[in-house]
Amino acid sequence: MIQQILVPTDGSENSLTAADYAIHIAQLFHASIRGLFVKDVKILTGPLIHDIGTSIGGAVPYGTFNQTIRGVLESQADAALNLVEGKCAKAGIPFSREIREGVVSREIVKSAESCDLVAMGRMGTHAEWRDVFLGTTVEFVVRQTHRPVLITPSEFRSFKRTLIAYDGSSYADKALRSGAEIAKAMKLPVTVVCVSDKKDDALEKLTRARTFLESYQLTVETITKGGYDHAGGILEVCNDETDLLVMGAYGHSRIQEMILGSTTVRVMRATSCPILLCR
């Protein structure tokens, strides 16, 4: 059951879209939203500030310059959280705010410990660096937290069809449960896809998934995709009609991911729909 949703925000349009998705889910589960702004310690104490402070001949002491940056970040925090609070107030959703200081991804993980779901925009204020930095904060949060993480696209659209990628792993079981709860609350049909080079194994897993989902009184369709390319098989099924993709995150070992590539990252890069990741 979802009772509190964490929305990390930097004031960007993408983080505000994440807030829209969080509000949509909060309305269904009668949940509250906690807005989080993290003052990035790398900005406050990183070498860039030191270089700036010393390069101007000491005219602006490091401490003074640091205090100025801190004041700017505090203003940004208030502005970003006010935007999310305004959306929640308009929708009648209880809202609380939290400001932390530290490494952004680590502070999000810490804050998520007391929440049931994290809703994050796929790209933040540095969207122009997507090809270089996609996954740095998002990937760390998904790898480190045991809370479901909803990665949202740039524009909001209501959920109409749910696709669950299922491989029988423990992470996939968590994804199946989370997907079932959301689909039941929204009265959505569910499609389950299993990608495997062994057809009998895939059918056994899909039967297990169908039985579980039907216990939630859901309409279920199952699809088998052959082969070893899990990401490719999922993406073949995930099309423009998919409004929510649910899957277990980082189910392979780090060595397998280095050799074969991460299914999670490949799917995140290639699809534009919201993705609910569970581990």
Side-chain angles (χ1 to χ4, degrees):
M1 178 64 71
I2 299 173
Q3 295 181 319
Q4 187 171 69
I5 303 171
L6 179 68
V7 180
T9 181
D10 57 9
S12 66
E13 288 298 323
N14 286 283
S15 65
L16 292 177
T17 300
D20 289 334
Y21 276 101
I23 288 169
H24 186 50
I25 295 172
Q27 288 173 324
L28 292 165
F29 288 91
H30 305 289
S32 63
I33 288 177
R34 183 199 303 167
L36 170 67
F37 184 96
V38 180
K39 292 186 285 186
D40 192 347
V41 70
K42 290 181 289 185
I43 295 177
L44 291 169
T45 61
L48 175 62
I49 292 177
H50 178 71
D51 289 346
I52 294 174
T54 57
S55 67
I56 55 179
V60 181
Y62 173 78
T64 301
F65 192 83
N66 179 271
Q67 197 61 37
T68 300
I69 295 298
R70 189 179 295 277
V72 170
L73 289 177
E74 288 173 355
S75 297
Q76 289 179 346
D78 287 336
L81 291 169
N82 286 343
L83 289 172
V84 179
E85 184 174 17
K87 286 177 174 287
C88 290
K90 186 175 181 180
I93 301 298
F95 176 83
S96 61
R97 62 175 59 204
E98 181 179 16
I99 299 176
R100 287 175 170 263
E101 182 176 312
V103 177
V104 175
S105 54
R106 295 184 185 277
E107 295 306 316
I108 293 173
V109 171
K110 291 177 185 177
S111 184
E113 291 177 0
S114 57
C115 295
D116 304 295
L117 175 69
V118 183
M120 298 180 65
R122 189 168 303 183
M123 295 177 285
T125 53
H126 300 292
E128 68 272 17
W129 297 100
R130 176 179 184 274
D131 290 336
V132 179
F133 291 117
L134 175 64
T136 51
T137 297
V138 170
E139 183 177 346
F140 183 92
V141 171
V142 175
R143 281 190 182 276
Q144 297 299 319
T145 185
H146 288 282
R147 305 302 185 202
V149 180
L150 179 67
I151 310 301
T152 63
S154 58
E155 296 182 2
F156 174 83
R157 68 181 187 186
S158 59
F159 298 138
K160 295 180 181 178
R161 178 174 175 262
T162 301
L163 174 65
I164 301 176
Y166 187 72
D167 63 5
S169 67
S170 60
Y171 294 162
D173 285 336
K174 290 182 179 180
L176 196 66
R177 185 176 301 107
S178 295
E181 290 180 358
I182 291 176
K184 182 177 180 179
M186 297 184 180
K187 299 179 173 60
L188 301 176
V190 177
T191 299
V192 186
V193 58
C194 181
V195 182
S196 176
D197 60 309
K198 300 177 181 178
K199 185 175 182 179
D200 289 344
D201 179 60
L203 291 175
E204 187 276 327
K205 291 174 181 175
L206 288 174
T207 298
R208 193 193 324 164
R210 177 188 287 276
T211 300
F212 179 83
L213 292 170
E214 287 179 345
S215 70
Y216 282 80
Q217 288 79 51
L218 295 171
T219 301
V220 183
E221 176 189 1
T222 59
I223 298 175
T224 302
K225 300 295 292 184
Y228 295 92
D229 185 358
H230 290 199
I234 293 169
L235 292 169
E236 284 182 21
V237 181
C238 184
N239 52 40
D240 293 338
E241 296 179 0
T242 301
D243 302 299
L244 176 64
L245 171 61
V246 185
M247 58 186 287
Y250 305 110
H252 298 292
S253 70
R254 290 296 185 102
I255 293 177
Q256 286 176 302
E257 289 179 9
M258 288 174 61
I259 296 172
L260 303 174
S262 169
T263 296
T264 305
V265 172
R266 285 181 60 197
V267 172
M268 278 198 298
R269 285 181 178 272
T271 184
S272 59
C273 71
I275 308 175
L276 181 63
L277 298 172
C278 304
R279 66 172 296 279

